[in-house]
Amino acid sequence: MRIAQISDTHILALSSELPEAATRAEGLRRCVADINRLDVTPDLVIHTGDTVQTGAVADYEHLADLLRPLKPPIYLTPGNRDDRDNFRTFFRDADGQEPFLHHVFDGFPTRLIALDSIIPGRQKGAFCQDRIQWLDDTLAAEPDRATILFIHHPPFNVGTHYVDGYEDAADQAALAKIVAKHRQVQRLMCGHCHRSSQQLWAESEATTMASVACDLRWGVDAAHLQAVPIYQLHDVAANGKVTTHSRIVPN
Ligand SMILES: [Fe+2]
């Protein structure tokens, strides 16, 4: 199966006069068009959060308009810029653990689980005991199926003080402990830090990706690819092993 991952689009309302509003919308529009014309169409698209900039209804209206032409189904994971209530209004209902926006995909050979790591109004992430218990139970239910996790906040440091860390460092350690315990987890895919990185984490592999919002991109690729939309393609083998390609959207 093939997954396209987009992240940190930070879309603003269509009425916004901020200069970045137009460039971010154009970047997402180009990603959507590119995904639609790939030789091998992704089975689904997953957004790893900060879908909009302010969390306002008008931001989500614009985001929904931009995503409407997408051919594969899309699933969005909330980030610290998202508002859970407005998010639900436009994209989906909660999936099993109020008030969190977790989701389990069971329609694919590899099990996919999207996790809600946000605290309303706070920039850094959290994974409280309720969420830990839910994830532990959910992973324990199917121990023999290869599984990929999606979460906005990386529960590890990427070397950027502004985004590193959770509100409570104990949450990161608890999440690592649960994932290490469930050896079917092949990969943790994250957003939030607006740069690509990868590292071994919790007996698994963890990755972050560049923001689709070009003006917010950080890291070694930021200066060279300033106005170029980037997203990721993950090709998942039958055993759940993942090969990742960074897709630089052609003009
Ligand atoms: Fe972001």
Side-chain angles (χ1 to χ4, degrees):
M1 67 177 294
R2 169 172 271 195
I3 302 165
Q5 183 189 5
I6 59 176
S7 199
D8 294 270
T9 43
H10 290 259
I11 293 298
L12 286 143
L14 185 59
S15 59
S16 172
E17 294 180 355
L18 292 172
E20 59 267 33
T23 56
R24 292 178 192 176
E26 179 60 15
L28 178 55
R29 193 177 293 114
R30 287 178 60 190
C31 285
V32 166
D34 193 65
I35 291 168
N36 284 345
R37 66 172 173 251
L38 288 171
D39 290 342
V40 179
T41 305
D43 295 280
L44 81 163
V45 180
I46 294 192
H47 192 312
T48 40
D50 280 1
T51 68
V52 298
Q53 178 68 16
T54 74
V57 167
D59 288 4
Y60 286 103
E61 285 173 343
H62 193 195
L63 176 67
D65 286 345
L66 291 164
L67 294 176
R68 197 161 290 120
L70 198 57
K71 290 178 183 169
I74 182 164
Y75 181 83
L76 298 95
T77 308
N80 47 288
R81 292 280 180 176
D82 287 294
D83 177 279
R84 282 196 187 114
D85 291 337
N86 290 339
F87 189 102
R88 280 193 180 96
T89 300
F90 281 85
F91 294 105
R92 65 190 165 87
D93 294 328
D95 188 30
Q97 195 198 20
E98 287 282 356
F100 307 114
L101 290 159
H102 306 317
H103 190 74
V104 182
F105 301 79
D106 277 325
F108 301 102
T110 296
R111 199 166 182 230
L112 311 175
I113 303 176
L115 300 169
D116 178 338
S117 59
I118 67 174
I119 312 173
R122 306 303 294 261
Q123 195 233 346
K124 291 190 184 291
F127 216 76
C128 55
Q129 192 52 45
D130 285 349
R131 287 179 260 201
I132 289 288
Q133 189 61 56
W134 182 89
L135 180 59
D136 194 17
D137 293 344
T138 302
L139 289 171
E142 298 210 39
D144 298 325
R145 270 183 77 196
T147 300
I148 299 172
L149 304 177
F150 300 87
I151 192 168
H152 180 67
H153 296 87
F156 49 84
N157 293 344
V158 297
T160 305
H161 174 73
Y162 178 66
V163 296
D164 278 348
Y166 274 27
E167 285 284 331
D168 184 343
D171 289 4
Q172 291 174 283
L175 184 49
K177 189 174 170 188
I178 290 300
V179 172
K181 177 178 141 187
H182 295 280
R183 303 303 299 273
Q184 75 268 32
V185 177
Q186 301 294 321
R187 177 77 81 87
L188 178 81
M189 298 180 181
C190 311
H192 190 53
C193 55
H194 299 186
R195 62 169 62 184
S196 58
S197 72
Q198 57 191 43
Q199 62 176 271
L200 294 174
W201 174 82
E203 310 283 335
S204 185
E205 185 182 21
T207 54
T208 67
M209 64 169 286
S211 54
V212 169
C214 299
D215 61 296
L216 299 175
R217 201 173 290 152
W218 289 7
V220 292
D221 44 10
H224 307 295
L225 297 169
Q226 212 157 27
V228 181
I230 302 173
Y231 65 95
Q232 292 203 313
L233 288 171
H234 307 289
D235 287 324
V236 186
N239 63 1
K241 300 294 182 191
V242 183
T243 302
T244 295
H245 313 267
S246 287
R247 173 72 176 172
I248 296 169
V249 177
N251 280 321

